[in-house]
Amino acid sequence: MTANISPPKIVLLAVYLATKADVDSLAALASRYDKVLQKDLVLRILLTCLPETVDAGAYVPLIQQLDTDIGGPEPGGNVDIDTSSVDDFTDAEAAKKVRKLRLLPLVSEKTPNGAADDLVSQFLIARAHRVDEEAGLLAQLPDLIVPFLDHSPCIRTWMISALLPLLRRNYEYYPEHPIPYTLEAFEHLNDRAAVSLLLEQTGAQDEDLPHVGRDLRGLIGPWLYSESRWKQAEDIVGDDGQTDPKTKLCPGWEQLLEWLTAQASRSWKVAIKAIEQWDGPDDVDLGGFGSMWLEDEEQGYLESRYARAALASAYLVPEASVEALVGINTIITRVMNLLGEDAFPTLQVASSLLSPLTELINESIISAKNATFMRNDLLEETNILTAPSKMSAQILHALTLSAFILTKAGVPCNIRRAGELAFLQDEREQKSEAIKFINTLRNNAPKTDDKYWIRVRNELLWLRDWGAEEAGVSSSPVQLNGVFGQLKREFLEIECLKAFLASGRYALARSVYEDSPENLLSTKTLEDTIIASAMNAYDNASNPNRTRGGLLKCAEIAQSFPKTLPEDGASAMKIEALLRATHGLSEYRLVLKQGEPFTPVVLRIHADPISIIGKVLEQNPHSYTRLQAFLEIGTNMADAGLPTSEKSARSSGVTGDMAQQRALVEKRVIAMCIDAALTEDDFETAYSYVVNRLASTTGPAESLSAGSKNGHGAEARPSPAITDDYSWKAALQAGKYRRTARTIRPTHIGTASGNMDIRHLEQRIECLSTALRIAPTVTLQEILNVFRRCEEELDAAVKAEEEQESAWDDQGDVQAMPGAFSSTVPAGVVRHNTSRPAKHQEEAPMSLFDLSRASMARAQRNFSALSSLQRSEQVKDDDEEEIDNQARVRKRDQLREAAVGTLASGVGWLIGAQPVDRSQEQRD
Ligand SMILES: *[C@@H]1O[C@H](CO)[C@@H](O)[C@H](O)[C@H]1NC(C)=O
Ligand SMILES: *[C@@H]1O[C@H](CO)[C@@H](O)[C@H](O)[C@H]1NC(C)=O
Ligand SMILES: *[C@@H]1O[C@H](CO)[C@@H](O)[C@H](O)[C@H]1NC(C)=O
Ligand SMILES: *[C@@H]1O[C@H](CO)[C@@H](O)[C@H](O)[C@H]1NC(C)=O
Ligand SMILES: *[C@@H]1O[C@H](CO)[C@@H](O)[C@H](O)[C@H]1NC(C)=O
Ligand SMILES: CC(=O)N[C@H]1CO[C@H](CO)[C@@H](O)[C@@H]1O
């Protein structure tokens, strides 16, 4: 231990001791030779030579000793300094070695400004960087720095804004995903990169996001704790004059807000959690190393920008869910808080109150021109929707509550969608949304709850004008801003009524729309809506039975409005007729398309619903016997206002009046039943329908003329006639029927009826004469041909029977049966007389059948005259057999007379014969 050690050796020894990490000896040395080992030199030797792995605790006292700058007292006075390591060098050698030492500088271009002229601060920061880079011991740096927090503001600031964020980020919050930068590199990242790296893991880890607020508080808060984060506006904005150049801006804060709004678009929950869990600029966690202090101006700037970013985030959240909207409501609450205003109630409460938002009445911000602010320039000062003001918060509240009502109902709607509905006021968009709203609520409606529907209606009306009408300003002209503002009140009331009815809330519908003195809907509109709803229920029915399902509903709806739809009113009766017609069909098997059973709607949309009766007759054997039931179905169809004619007739615009339509429907149904009977070989029934139903009620086809009753008479041309082509065709069809083995035999027939062939031919002739009487002129020739052939067969049959009988008479059997006269013989006796007309017919020239149309028409009138005679004869048919038989024969003669005689007379003028009214003769 020598006192005469040369300065170069002292320096070399200091380097040696530092390299050996012998801090105590070094301290003693520095203390003893403080003239040589000056502060600057010691710090550089420490920085360069002391291994970075050495605990800070070992050399902090030395730094502190140097910092105190006292130099005098020798704490290491009693330390024995081992100089052996430099003893072997000559002073010259030592000096040469010292010159070759490459000691690191304390200052680099990256040293904070605050550390200028402050060697200790410079050392601490440089040392910290080396410990981090060379040893990776970032976590131990607080041991080095904390003792010097009070050394200089620059160290405190650096500790809080540089070391603390990186330390927390890489060692405390997300050690699994550290930022891959050295401390020094981190310090010199630009704002965007720094914010993005610090918050890279925020919200990426836990489902329920408990740490978003912590990260903002614990990472961004400290990171911003530096005057260097602030810039004069003029440095950034340039000279576009938007911002006062003296205003201070914080680009790092702006980056944070960018991050926040980006989260709102990409992971909205993170954005909402951020705003929920973090109170903004004041809410920082500096780890106890310092406390935040901001100028009023700075504070105001940060808060105002934060409020704007919060409002912007609300518009950016793409999610349309109750959860997201509730989150957005917390954003609004935060903004109101920052503005020093009272918060709005929760959405749940607000949606049950539906208070009028009177502040928004006439609000001109809510206009199509401003809609673009929902998408663009959200953080710009020019954006009036995100301006941190009470008005913009109120607008957002209105949109949030509107979206909430829609979303809760099952029609997802986000803020931007609600905003577009309100700002753009596009009627079509609003209408489709309103209808979705009602329909969804209807599908989810509880079975029996009027309250539910009262609420739905209130919500719907509120969505239209945000309560302006209720607020009593409806009388003055107001701009209705609601999301359904373009829709007429009447439209919404109609939709509500439809929903009430579809959900079976009949009493509610009546009390709101029929009984209420408000007269929300005009009588006409009310009636139309009720009928449409009834028809809707009808069309939705799967079962034609009126006591079930859709038809029952239809009936209930129609009966629920005694004032609007009185039971004896035209509309109610029409619906009733439709229900009856449909129910009438429910008793039968009926398949229209392949395999598909009949549903009521088919009847309503069918181009020719009467033809459905034909299908029933085809598919239900023997059903033709229920003529009366089918007639009722048919006339009910007519009464229900369904089309009654086939395509051709309708397309020509002919409908005729109701009586005519009904009459025609009846004819057609009878004809269908006749056809069905014939198809099933039931000639007797067909015959009976012809003579009882057609002959009795039908005149010549032309008589059913639509005439001037044609409802579509705008054009003054004469309407074509409605033609009953059904009756004569059916009668002709029956007249053409030939008995076969399959033909069903008559069930009750007089014992004296005798020859079945003759009886059948007589019936056919009767059918044919009916056809002749009612057919259009052009068809008479065809019918007459059939008639003539039929009559020839009848003559032949009669002749054959006569011959048989006379052979029988010749055997003198008549005497063998006295007393049997009246029961067995009359047929023969009577028939004897029948030959005369037959002969008479033979006398008629065949050319008579080649008649002109004009003469046929004239002849037809005599058939009509004849029909009354026929009927009176039929009444007698039920009497005693003899009379019956006689009448039958006389009738046949009359028919023949009528057919031939009248024709002869009709064309008498042609052949120069005297007209003879034989039917007149007969009657005498
Ligand atoms: C937005 O609304 C405000 C307030 O009514 C109006 O003055 C302004 O012109 C609108 N902005 C645009 C871009 O139309
Ligand atoms: C709304 O504006 C109209 C004029 O456009 C005015 O007559 C009316 O009083 C205003 N209503 C309210 C509530 O401000
Ligand atoms: C239509 O009918 C179905 C069942 O057939 C029923 O569930 C539904 O509620 C009906 N819809 C309306 C509007 O009546
Ligand atoms: C209609 O339905 C009721 C029961 O709802 C039943 O009693 C009745 O027989 C049905 N009518 C027909 C024609 O099926
Ligand atoms: C009926 O026929 C007779 C001749 O048989 C004729 O004199 C009479 O004019 C006809 N009746 C009608 C209404 O044409
Ligand atoms: C019922 C009837 O008219 N019978 C007549 C049949 O014809 C004979 C003569 O051929 C008359 O005497 C009957 O009166």
Side-chain angles (χ1 to χ4, degrees):
M1 183 82 226
T2 171
N4 298 326
I5 185 165
S6 68
K9 281 195 177 179
I10 294 169
V11 172
L12 273 191
L13 184 56
V15 167
Y16 174 81
L17 292 173
T19 308
K20 289 281 177 216
D22 186 352
V23 179
D24 288 345
S25 299
L26 177 60
L29 188 70
S31 161
R32 191 170 309 163
Y33 301 103
D34 61 336
K35 293 289 178 293
V36 177
L37 290 176
Q38 292 189 347
K39 189 172 168 184
D40 171 42
L41 183 58
V42 177
L43 291 173
R44 289 183 68 189
I45 288 170
L46 282 174
L47 179 64
T48 312
C49 303
L50 183 68
E52 282 80 9
T53 48
V54 172
D55 267 358
Y59 58 99
V60 160
L62 173 56
I63 312 297
Q64 282 167 330
Q65 177 197 323
L66 293 167
D67 192 25
T68 55
D69 255 348
I70 302 165
E74 301 179 10
N78 54 353
V79 174
D80 217 13
I81 302 173
D82 176 6
T83 59
S84 58
S85 56
V86 294
D87 284 350
D88 295 345
F89 298 120
T90 66
D91 285 352
E93 280 170 341
K96 192 177 173 194
K97 279 191 182 298
V98 167
R99 276 199 301 278
K100 281 188 175 169
L101 282 176
R102 295 257 181 280
L103 292 180
L104 296 167
L106 294 179
V107 185
S108 72
E109 73 267 26
K110 294 167 185 170
T111 309
N113 292 336
D117 305 328
D118 178 356
L119 294 177
V120 169
S121 294
Q122 288 170 0
F123 168 79
L124 289 172
I125 291 171
R127 178 70 186 170
H129 288 161
R130 282 190 69 80
V131 170
D132 174 46
E133 274 155 45
E134 304 299 325
L137 293 174
L138 188 75
Q140 294 183 9
L141 289 178
D143 296 344
L144 173 64
I145 306 298
V146 169
F148 298 95
L149 284 180
D150 291 325
H151 166 79
S152 144
C154 139
I155 288 300
R156 187 185 299 280
T157 300
W158 181 84
M159 166 79 202
I160 293 176
S161 73
L163 178 54
L164 183 59
L166 188 63
L167 205 53
R168 279 180 169 161
R169 171 71 174 73
N170 283 0
Y171 288 87
E172 190 180 340
Y173 294 176
Y174 303 104
E176 310 291 318
H177 306 274
I179 297 179
Y181 282 100
T182 64
L183 176 59
E184 187 177 0
F186 170 71
E187 282 173 59
H188 297 101
L189 289 172
N190 65 34
D191 291 326
R192 176 183 295 274
V195 168
S196 143
L197 285 168
L198 282 174
L199 298 178
E200 194 178 43
Q201 294 300 318
T202 299
Q205 310 271 328
D206 295 296
E207 192 65 13
D208 47 357
L209 304 170
H211 296 316
V212 181
R214 175 203 69 180
D215 290 359
L216 296 172
R217 200 176 293 119
L219 297 178
I220 299 299
W223 180 74
L224 288 170
Y225 183 88
S226 167
E227 198 51 34
S228 70
R229 301 270 170 242
W230 291 86
K231 302 273 184 291
Q232 294 297 323
E234 58 192 339
D235 298 339
I236 303 163
V237 180
D239 53 3
D240 69 355
Q242 274 194 6
T243 315
D244 178 358
K246 287 195 208 81
T247 310
K248 286 208 286 184
L249 298 178
C250 179
W253 187 248
E254 300 294 334
Q255 283 305 325
L256 170 66
L257 302 181
E258 297 271 348
W259 175 87
L260 183 63
T261 51
Q263 295 298 312
S265 310
R266 265 188 272 120
S267 9
W268 61 272
K269 287 186 184 180
V270 174
I272 286 175
K273 285 291 176 198
I275 296 167
E276 201 175 282
Q277 296 173 0
W278 185 53
D279 288 342
D282 281 339
D283 184 10
V284 295
D285 172 5
L286 304 184
F289 300 123
S291 57
M292 196 68 157
W293 185 85
L294 289 166
E295 291 169 23
D296 284 352
E297 192 195 337
E298 291 171 337
Q299 176 82 16
Y301 155 79
L302 294 178
E303 282 186 358
S304 139
R305 294 295 294 165
Y306 179 46
R308 185 179 286 279
L311 290 166
S313 298
Y315 284 96
L316 288 168
V317 171
E319 172 94 351
S321 68
V322 166
E323 187 192 356
L325 293 166
V326 166
I328 286 168
N329 199 49
T330 68
I331 293 182
I332 302 174
T333 303
R334 168 76 64 212
V335 171
M336 291 301 268
N337 215 321
L338 289 167
L339 294 171
E341 300 278 351
D342 291 339
F344 296 106
T346 66
L347 292 176
Q348 205 64 46
V349 170
S351 70
S352 63
L353 293 177
L354 294 178
S355 316
L357 304 182
T358 40
E359 303 86 350
L360 299 180
I361 291 166
N362 280 356
E363 180 49 57
S364 59
I365 290 177
I366 304 167
S367 63
K369 276 193 276 177
N370 279 325
T372 173
F373 286 131
M374 289 189 288
R375 291 177 181 279
N376 304 317
D377 304 331
L378 283 158
L379 292 176
E380 297 297 321
E381 291 295 315
T382 48
N383 190 320
I384 52 177
L385 293 184
T386 58
S389 70
K390 199 174 170 193
M391 177 51 69
S392 51
Q394 262 161 346
I395 291 173
L396 183 57
H397 170 68
L399 298 180
T400 310
L401 184 50
S402 301
F404 177 75
I405 291 171
L406 289 170
T407 302
K408 191 164 54 77
V411 183
C413 178
N414 61 20
I415 297 297
R416 192 182 285 174
R417 173 70 178 154
E420 279 165 358
L421 290 170
F423 280 67
L424 303 180
Q425 290 293 331
D426 180 308
E427 187 179 350
R428 256 185 49 213
E429 293 283 318
Q430 291 185 356
K431 191 172 271 188
S432 98
E433 209 71 16
I435 288 180
K436 251 192 275 169
F437 176 73
I438 296 184
N439 286 346
T440 311
L441 285 165
R442 199 186 61 209
N443 292 338
N444 302 332
K447 279 279 174 287
T448 55
D449 189 357
D450 281 355
K451 275 192 218 143
Y452 173 91
W453 280 111
I454 291 169
R455 201 179 69 233
V456 167
R457 176 167 169 269
N458 288 341
E459 288 175 348
L460 193 65
L461 295 177
W462 185 88
L463 287 172
R464 176 168 171 261
D465 64 2
W466 289 336
E469 202 163 40
E470 196 202 328
V473 294
S474 58
S475 46
S476 61
V478 290
Q479 191 202 333
L480 299 170
N481 291 316
V483 293
F484 296 155
Q486 208 61 27
L487 303 180
K488 298 221 175 354
R489 167 96 187 246
E490 182 187 50
F491 169 80
L492 297 179
E493 296 287 7
I494 288 174
E495 292 303 314
C496 274
L497 172 56
K498 288 203 292 205
F500 287 6
L501 295 180
S503 309
R505 314 318 310 147
Y506 308 126
L508 176 66
R510 182 171 58 239
S511 79
V512 174
Y513 292 104
E514 191 179 69
D515 295 343
S516 151
E518 282 181 89
N519 287 328
L520 296 168
L521 293 172
S522 73
T523 310
K524 168 88 170 69
T525 307
L526 182 55
E527 177 175 352
D528 289 351
T529 308
I530 296 164
I531 292 174
S533 294
M535 288 304 110
N536 240 10
Y538 178 93
D539 291 347
N540 189 39
S542 54
N543 191 328
N545 185 329
R546 69 174 295 170
T547 65
R548 332 178 36 163
L551 258 59
L552 177 61
K553 204 163 173 179
C554 172
E556 285 170 346
I557 291 173
Q559 289 156 11
S560 290
F561 297 87
K563 290 181 208 149
T564 313
L565 231 61
E567 207 177 329
D568 55 356
S571 302
M573 280 164 64
K574 236 169 123 176
I575 293 173
E576 176 61 20
L578 179 64
L579 292 172
R580 284 191 182 170
T582 318
H583 187 77
L585 292 172
S586 73
E587 297 178 34
Y588 305 95
R589 199 186 105 76
L590 179 52
V591 174
L592 292 186
K593 269 184 265 162
Q594 211 142 33
E596 272 178 47
F598 168 77
T599 54
V601 67
V602 172
L603 174 64
R604 224 164 74 78
I605 62 173
H606 206 284
D608 182 19
I610 306 289
S611 70
I612 292 174
I613 295 175
K615 297 275 185 209
V616 172
L617 289 164
E618 273 171 30
Q619 295 174 19
N620 296 268
H622 229 63
S623 58
Y624 59 83
T625 56
R626 309 182 61 178
L627 175 65
Q628 197 52 39
F630 289 120
L631 284 173
E632 277 167 25
I633 293 174
T635 51
N636 275 324
M637 286 180 186
D639 292 348
L642 299 178
T644 51
S645 8
E646 286 166 287
K647 224 188 201 136
S648 54
R650 215 176 40 258
S651 59
S652 68
V654 182
T655 48
D657 66 19
M658 187 47 81
Q660 288 171 335
Q661 285 187 36
R662 289 174 115 246
L664 189 62
V665 165
E666 285 187 17
K667 295 302 159 204
R668 191 171 166 201
V669 171
I670 295 166
M672 283 174 171
C673 287
I674 291 169
D675 281 345
L678 293 174
T679 305
E680 295 182 40
D681 284 303
D682 185 354
F683 175 79
E684 289 293 330
T685 301
Y687 164 79
S688 117
Y689 288 168
V690 170
V691 298
N692 292 323
R693 314 298 300 232
L694 290 184
S696 61
T697 57
T698 309
E702 282 81 358
S703 72
L704 282 173
S705 163
S708 58
K709 291 281 168 68
N710 185 356
H712 313 285
E715 302 148 62
R717 61 166 185 211
S719 322
I722 292 182
T723 310
D724 170 17
D725 270 335
Y726 308 112
S727 300
W728 69 265
K729 279 182 180 164
L732 174 60
Q733 216 51 42
K736 280 178 172 174
Y737 183 85
R738 287 176 174 280
R739 238 158 63 89
T740 68
R742 286 191 314 276
T743 305
I744 296 169
R745 298 178 67 83
T747 49
H748 52 282
I749 197 161
T751 49
S753 60
N755 191 318
M756 290 294 289
D757 285 334
I758 288 174
R759 182 177 186 278
H760 181 62
L761 284 164
E762 285 169 349
Q763 286 173 325
R764 283 179 58 194
I765 284 177
E766 211 172 328
C767 291
L768 290 169
S769 72
T770 299
L772 275 174
R773 186 162 55 79
I774 60 183
T777 317
V778 285
T779 61
L780 290 182
Q781 185 66 62
E782 179 200 347
I783 303 171
L784 277 172
N785 287 344
V786 180
F787 189 103
R788 197 190 64 204
R789 277 195 299 278
C790 194
E791 191 165 52
E792 282 167 1
E793 283 177 44
L794 177 61
D795 279 343
V798 168
K799 202 172 275 167
E801 194 186 44
E802 269 176 0
E803 276 163 13
Q804 213 177 3
E805 274 174 12
S806 59
W808 193 66
D809 284 354
D810 289 351
Q811 292 172 2
D813 277 4
V814 174
Q815 279 82 11
M817 300 179 74
F821 182 81
S822 63
S823 60
T824 57
V825 178
V829 173
V830 173
R831 257 177 229 129
H832 201 68
N833 290 6
T834 63
S835 61
R836 269 197 308 159
K839 277 184 196 121
H840 179 87
Q841 193 227 347
E842 278 156 20
E843 288 159 17
M846 293 306 273
S847 63
L848 275 185
F849 290 106
D850 305 326
L851 297 167
S852 75
R853 284 178 190 179
S855 58
M856 282 186 178
R858 234 171 292 138
Q860 206 173 21
R861 273 176 231 129
N862 269 340
F863 282 107
S864 301
L866 185 63
S867 72
S868 55
L869 177 65
Q870 268 182 295
R871 250 174 287 142
S872 63
E873 295 295 341
Q874 275 163 5
V875 176
K876 290 182 204 156
D877 276 355
D878 296 334
D879 295 334
E880 289 169 51
E881 280 167 9
E882 185 178 354
I883 297 168
D884 175 46
N885 279 326
Q886 288 175 355
R888 212 154 50 79
V889 170
R890 200 158 77 231
K891 190 167 70 185
R892 185 206 301 155
D893 291 346
Q894 286 164 350
L895 287 169
R896 179 175 297 159
E897 291 290 303
V900 180
T902 60
L903 286 173
S905 76
V907 294
W909 59 274
L910 266 181
I911 54 172
Q914 279 295 313
V916 183
D917 191 347
R918 282 174 204 278
S919 60
Q920 196 57 34
E921 267 184 5
Q922 292 272 337
R923 235 170 270 163
D924 294 341

